[in-house]
Amino acid sequence: MNKVKRALISVSDKAGIVEFARILHGFGVEILSTGGSAGVLRENGIPVIEVSDYTNFPEMLDGRVKTLHPKIHGGLLALRDNPEHMAKLKEHGIGLIDMVVVNLYPFEKTIQKPGVKIEEVIENIDIGGPSMLRSASKNSQSVAVICNPKRYPQIIDELKKNNGALPDKLLRELAVEVFALTSHYDGVINKYLTDYFQGKPDGKTDFPQDLTLNFTKIQELRYGENPHQKAAFYRENGKAKGLINLRQLQGKELSFNNILDLNAAVGIVQEFKSPAAVIVKHNNPCGAAQEKTLDKAFADALKCDPLSAFGGIIALNRKVDLKTAGLIAKSGFMECIIAPSFDKEALEPFKNKKNLRLLELPGLDEIIKEIEFKRVSGGMLAQDKDTGEINIDNLKIVTRKKPSKKELESLLFAWKIVKHVKSNAIVLAVNTRTVGIGPGQTSRVESVMIAKRKSGKLSKNSVLASDAFFPKADSISQAAKAGVKAIIQPGGSISDEEVIKACDKHKISMVFTGLRHFRH
């Protein structure tokens, strides 16, 4: 058991500290403190000794140097059962410190402020706090170190139970918590400063030689990919944008698969400025449309593949109104609906659908450029997010027949969708709505055949988008049978000439983008 006789308190977050310090004082603990913390304790009638009085050395450099002193770190690091250590403390007039209560400058909150200046960010990098925490944790067999205000009630209970002492098991537990915190804190600083000082104006990414990832759990999930797998949802620390900001208005707990599908659906609907709707199933779109109104966009998206849409995820890029909500409510079972917001009356049609998850995501239209990660056995892969875009000026017409202006608009729409379909990916579209989608096959012609079969008669006079080049002309024959009039694809195959000839034979126009969109 470690009897607490002297404690040092220096906290940025003052929540609960007065009550905690009062308990310490009640056990006769001498309290050292700094600046603002000392002021708060003194105002509440708790005796404190300023660290500067204890060390006989003033705070300096605008508070940058307060606790970086041998009388502090010697009192924390000395081994109580080492005669030489204790003799040195006596020689230099250094007293023991049995408890450190420290929480760090709010670096994460600071970097999330809109328009924050780098000077303010730098000033919120804590130096003395992590140093004390680490010193105390290194000597945890003798020093209690508390970095988490949520621990105060537990510590108070133990002090009362053990007459002002704390058990060894708790001391070790507190020390481990500190190293998790300081690792996390340094990782957030590293990530922010790396992004700030190495940011590329051309948008290119520098991949760091050493990669430290910092995440905090925000919720347990209903289950993982399968019910027997546990899962959780984590927020990347220092990030203030993205799917982590979703707010659930109703429905049962989210699952791992729900979040993956929500992420995919949001990524697709972000492609469009006009009202748009997307339905996603198993990370693939099964319907997407852009229209003048949101209700029309949803109705068109649903027509593409209503069978696959059953139990899907709906993403909308506008506030959900009553008319759109009514259409969705009548469309059959859906897992989730995500949108920037919902009109109050738009919630009414869903009130009896207790399992349906309604999710608001402010800033849904904001595309975040970030590094994507994929875990592999024993390691991790990293890549830039696929934000490649094209416009009409980027297209190269390679067939005798040229696409009409209307077909070009439809081709560009289909190209935006195919980018989000698992490879090999084929999308058939009419105007700005999908009519058939062939995802994730091991041969491209098979994907064409699936898209053709799903579209039925709707594929007549459609356009086709392919995420990668055609290795053979067989896909063109299938496209012609479906009634396709124009094709968009990257080009670059050794069979390009054969494919172009097949298009000319079937009077299909074709454009090359020079850009591939594989999605594995």
Side-chain angles (χ1 to χ4, degrees):
M1 285 278 188
N2 177 53
K3 184 83 171 178
V4 182
K5 298 176 182 177
R6 179 180 288 124
L8 193 158
I9 297 176
S10 180
V11 292
S12 174
D13 180 358
K14 309 286 191 295
I17 195 59
V18 171
E19 181 188 354
F20 185 73
R22 188 169 282 126
I23 296 293
L24 292 179
H25 176 62
F27 280 105
V29 176
E30 181 182 80
I31 298 175
L32 311 178
S33 192
T34 59
S37 299
V40 168
L41 297 180
R42 197 175 287 116
E43 286 169 10
N44 285 274
I46 300 168
V48 295
I49 298 171
E50 290 270 1
V51 164
S52 55
D53 293 331
Y54 179 74
T55 60
N56 292 315
F57 203 92
E59 291 186 13
M60 59 189 298
L61 306 181
D62 298 318
R64 284 187 168 202
V65 177
K66 289 183 283 194
T67 57
L68 299 171
H69 193 280
K71 285 195 76 171
I72 301 300
H73 289 274
L76 293 172
L77 285 164
L79 296 172
R80 271 60 165 171
D81 58 357
N82 185 313
E84 290 183 13
H85 283 202
M86 300 310 289
K88 279 293 180 186
L89 293 192
K90 187 174 181 181
E91 179 185 344
H92 294 286
I94 296 174
L96 297 172
I97 299 174
D98 310 300
M99 177 183 282
V100 167
V101 186
V102 169
N103 51 63
L104 306 179
Y105 291 173
F107 185 84
E108 286 183 70
K109 287 184 179 178
T110 301
I111 62 177
Q112 290 173 15
K113 290 182 186 176
V116 65
K117 298 272 195 291
I118 187 64
E119 292 79 10
E120 184 180 355
V121 170
I122 296 294
E123 287 307 313
N124 276 278
I125 297 175
D126 203 328
I127 303 300
S131 299
M132 287 189 291
L133 290 175
R134 291 176 67 86
S135 290
S137 296
K138 182 170 180 174
N139 203 17
S140 64
Q141 68 268 33
S142 302
V143 182
V145 55
I146 305 158
C147 64
N148 181 359
K150 292 179 181 178
R151 287 277 194 174
Y152 295 163
Q154 179 189 8
I155 306 298
I156 289 170
D157 287 346
E158 290 290 343
L159 288 169
K160 289 179 178 178
K161 189 190 303 181
N162 301 295
N163 194 29
L166 294 173
D168 295 343
K169 181 176 181 297
L170 178 59
L171 298 185
R172 292 192 295 270
E173 191 178 304
L174 293 171
V176 170
E177 187 172 26
V178 162
F179 288 116
L181 171 69
T182 55
S183 172
H184 157 81
Y185 192 74
D186 287 341
V188 174
I189 294 169
N190 171 267
K191 176 71 166 61
Y192 181 86
L193 295 182
T194 297
D195 290 347
Y196 183 86
F197 291 119
Q198 296 183 9
K200 298 286 186 180
D202 57 7
K204 292 181 180 177
T205 302
D206 276 342
F207 294 99
Q209 184 63 35
D210 297 297
L211 182 65
T212 302
L213 302 177
N214 280 280
F215 294 83
T216 298
K217 185 169 69 176
I218 58 174
Q219 71 180 93
E220 297 280 343
L221 298 176
R222 191 159 170 252
Y223 51 74
E225 282 187 281
N226 299 290
H228 63 276
Q229 293 172 275
K230 293 181 180 179
F233 189 21
Y234 284 78
R235 181 192 74 237
E236 184 176 0
N237 295 308
K239 288 278 187 185
K241 299 174 183 177
L243 205 63
I244 57 160
N245 292 313
L246 61 80
R247 186 166 72 95
Q248 189 163 347
L249 304 182
Q250 77 162 51
K252 60 188 177 184
E253 194 177 10
L254 290 168
S255 73
F256 184 95
N257 292 336
N258 290 151
I259 291 177
L260 285 178
D261 284 341
L262 286 165
N263 192 59
V266 167
I268 301 170
V269 85
Q270 283 177 335
E271 297 277 358
F272 303 101
K273 303 299 181 189
S274 298
V278 173
I279 305 170
V280 164
K281 192 81 169 287
H282 300 304
N283 241 227
N284 275 307
C286 51
Q290 177 183 254
E291 257 292 354
K292 291 181 180 178
T293 63
L294 196 62
D295 59 295
K296 289 182 179 178
F298 172 72
D300 282 349
L302 184 63
K303 286 176 189 173
C304 177
D305 190 354
L307 184 64
S308 295
F310 181 84
I313 304 283
I314 300 169
L316 307 157
N317 67 350
R318 292 288 191 280
K319 177 187 277 192
V320 180
D321 55 41
L322 180 59
K323 190 172 182 181
T324 305
L327 284 176
I328 295 173
K330 294 174 185 175
S331 64
F333 171 65
M334 295 289 177
E335 287 272 1
C336 307
I337 303 169
I338 188 166
S341 59
F342 291 76
D343 281 335
K344 190 174 181 180
E345 58 269 26
L347 300 175
E348 190 67 20
F350 304 121
K351 67 179 183 179
N352 293 323
K353 297 178 180 289
K354 302 300 182 184
N355 289 332
L356 173 65
R357 304 158 178 94
L358 298 184
L359 303 151
E360 283 189 339
L361 182 60
L364 178 146
D365 60 334
E366 188 174 357
I367 298 174
I368 304 170
K369 292 186 177 181
E370 56 190 354
I371 295 175
E372 293 180 331
F373 300 99
K374 287 186 183 289
R375 194 80 163 90
V376 295
S377 178
M380 190 176 292
L381 300 172
Q383 67 173 358
D384 280 337
K385 189 173 183 177
D386 184 0
T387 55
E389 295 181 2
I390 58 166
N391 55 44
I392 289 176
D393 295 333
N394 302 132
L395 300 178
K396 179 183 178 183
I397 300 170
V398 295
T399 49
R400 290 197 293 266
K401 183 175 178 286
K402 298 183 187 306
S404 66
K405 183 180 178 181
K406 192 173 182 180
E407 286 171 342
L408 283 170
E409 291 174 356
S410 190
L411 286 168
L412 290 174
F413 167 82
W415 185 249
K416 287 181 178 180
I417 301 299
V418 81
K419 169 181 168 182
H420 297 274
V421 180
K422 295 285 186 180
S423 302
N424 289 313
I426 296 292
V427 169
L428 297 178
V430 173
N431 299 325
T432 53
R433 66 184 180 97
T434 58
V435 294
I437 299 174
Q441 300 306 305
T442 50
S443 69
R444 191 156 300 276
V445 66
E446 203 166 357
S447 292
V448 176
M449 292 165 70
I450 289 171
K452 172 175 166 266
R453 177 174 57 79
K454 282 180 174 285
S455 63
K457 294 178 181 178
L458 295 176
S459 62
K460 187 177 181 182
N461 296 322
S462 64
V463 303
L464 181 151
S466 174
D467 65 338
F469 61 62
F470 293 101
K472 296 179 181 179
D474 51 1
S475 293
I476 307 305
S477 300
Q478 290 295 327
K481 289 177 183 177
V484 169
K485 295 300 179 186
I487 293 174
I488 186 169
Q489 62 129 321
S493 167
I494 58 173
S495 301
D496 275 352
E497 287 304 316
E498 178 189 346
V499 170
I500 292 169
K501 285 178 182 177
C503 285
D504 285 337
K505 174 185 173 183
H506 292 288
K507 296 184 171 53
I508 296 173
S509 59
M510 185 162 67
V511 298
F512 283 0
T513 64
L515 186 70
R516 191 180 75 180
H517 281 313
F518 265 163
R519 188 174 183 83
H520 282 79

